[in-house]
């Protein structure tokens, strides 16, 4: 139990920063009446994706194979198989945003390949999170001192500090669109605008203060 007056405040901090990573998915597809042909085509297209990603090694931070699916397509009535569908999805994490658009377009230009994304974000261990928490604590202390000064008192100690949580805005995609074929006869280009990421932190704090001067 605390003897003496107490002031309870909330400290908040808001940061808007550039994203640190971008993720997108690339899916290889295959379909044929023959199962072995479907599997062969799927393996070849997945291998082509790997080769293309290998060629952008410095830009690709991580790649992870996700869902692999092979399923039969049945005739409307009965169990007779009319075709086989196959797909394999890879999630790609990129740190070099200058190469991101070109990489995604080159992947999308492959036969029977779909690309989705990107989704922008900060790294989980980004120092921005720590800075936001520290700024929220500093604001809580500043508020407590303001209240104490208004009462002719001063902050004498910290009683309790709790984290009210922090959150980042959902990751979204913004693209400027295709710019068309270059004069040199190259392929299409696309400009990607990384979306700013917002990070918020909040704390609840209780401070002991000296006896107010209320005269």
């Amino acid at each position: 139990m605390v003897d003496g007056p107490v002031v309870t405040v909330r400290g908040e901090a808001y940061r808007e920063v550039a994203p640190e990573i971008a993720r997108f998915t690339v899916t290889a597809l295959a379909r044929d009446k023959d199962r072995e042909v479907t599997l062969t085509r799927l393996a070849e297209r997945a291998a082509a994706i790997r080769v293309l990603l290998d060629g952008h090694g410095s830009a690709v931070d991580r790649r992870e194979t996700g869902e692999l699916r092979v399923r039969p397509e049945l005739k409307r009535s009965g169990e007779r198989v009319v075709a086989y569908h196959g797909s394999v999805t890879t999630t790609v994490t990129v740190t070099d945003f200058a190469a991101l658009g070109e990489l995604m377009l080159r992947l999308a230009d492959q036969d029977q390949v779909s690309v989705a994304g990107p989704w922008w974000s900060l790294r989980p261990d980004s120092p921005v999170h720590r800075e936001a928490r520290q700024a929220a604590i500093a604001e809580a202390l500043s508020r407590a001192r303001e209240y104490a000064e208004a009462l002719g008192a001063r902050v004498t100690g910290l009683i309790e500090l709790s984290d009210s949580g922090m959150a980042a805005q959902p990751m979204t995609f913004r693209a400027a669109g295709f710019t068309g074929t270059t004069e040199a006869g190259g392929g299409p280009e696309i400009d990607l605008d990384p979306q700013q990421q917002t990070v918020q932190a909040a704390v609840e704090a209780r401070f002991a203060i000296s006896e107010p001067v209320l005269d």
Side-chain angles (χ1 to χ4, degrees):
M1 184 176 181
V2 179
D3 295 328
V6 173
V7 61
T8 301
V9 295
R10 177 180 174 88
E12 299 176 312
Y14 176 92
R15 295 288 184 272
E16 187 173 273
V17 297
E20 297 170 341
I21 58 177
R23 291 187 177 91
F24 67 89
T25 60
V26 52
T27 302
L29 307 167
R31 179 185 182 278
D32 194 85
K33 295 180 179 180
D34 185 87
R35 179 171 55 189
E36 292 301 320
V37 172
T38 299
L39 296 176
T40 298
R41 289 177 178 174
L42 183 62
E44 291 174 347
R45 289 163 184 167
I49 289 173
R50 294 182 64 86
V51 169
L52 201 155
L53 291 175
D54 287 340
H56 289 73
S58 60
V60 176
D61 183 66
R62 178 185 299 178
R63 64 188 188 196
E64 301 164 300
T65 301
E67 185 179 44
L68 169 64
R69 297 187 63 187
V70 178
R71 63 178 181 84
E73 177 186 337
L74 304 179
K75 195 173 181 180
R76 290 188 178 182
S77 59
E79 296 185 354
R80 188 169 70 86
V81 177
V82 296
Y84 290 90
H85 294 261
S87 65
V88 59
T89 298
T90 300
T91 300
V92 182
T93 302
V94 174
T95 54
D96 183 358
F97 298 161
L100 178 60
E102 177 192 355
L103 175 58
M104 293 184 67
L105 284 182
R106 289 192 62 187
L107 288 166
D109 194 43
Q110 301 297 303
D111 186 34
Q112 294 298 308
V113 168
S114 66
V115 176
W119 299 276
W120 312 97
S121 69
L122 299 173
R123 293 185 182 276
D125 60 350
S126 173
V128 176
H129 300 300
R130 180 179 66 254
E131 293 168 4
R133 290 190 293 266
Q134 292 175 343
I137 293 173
E139 186 187 65
L141 179 56
S142 177
R143 284 188 177 184
R145 285 172 173 164
E146 289 178 2
Y147 287 133
E149 290 173 2
L151 295 170
R154 59 186 177 83
V155 174
T156 59
L158 174 65
I159 300 171
E160 182 180 19
L161 178 67
S162 61
D163 189 351
S164 298
M166 63 183 305
Q169 291 292 94
M171 299 171 288
T172 59
F173 165 58
R174 294 192 302 168
F178 287 92
T179 61
T181 303
T182 63
E183 292 183 1
E189 297 179 357
I190 190 170
D191 294 325
L192 302 178
D193 300 323
Q195 187 187 42
Q196 293 292 97
Q197 302 295 295
T198 58
V199 176
Q200 296 172 279
V203 297
E204 301 283 349
R206 297 175 65 216
F207 294 94
I209 62 175
S210 59
E211 288 295 332
V213 179
L214 303 178
D215 293 339

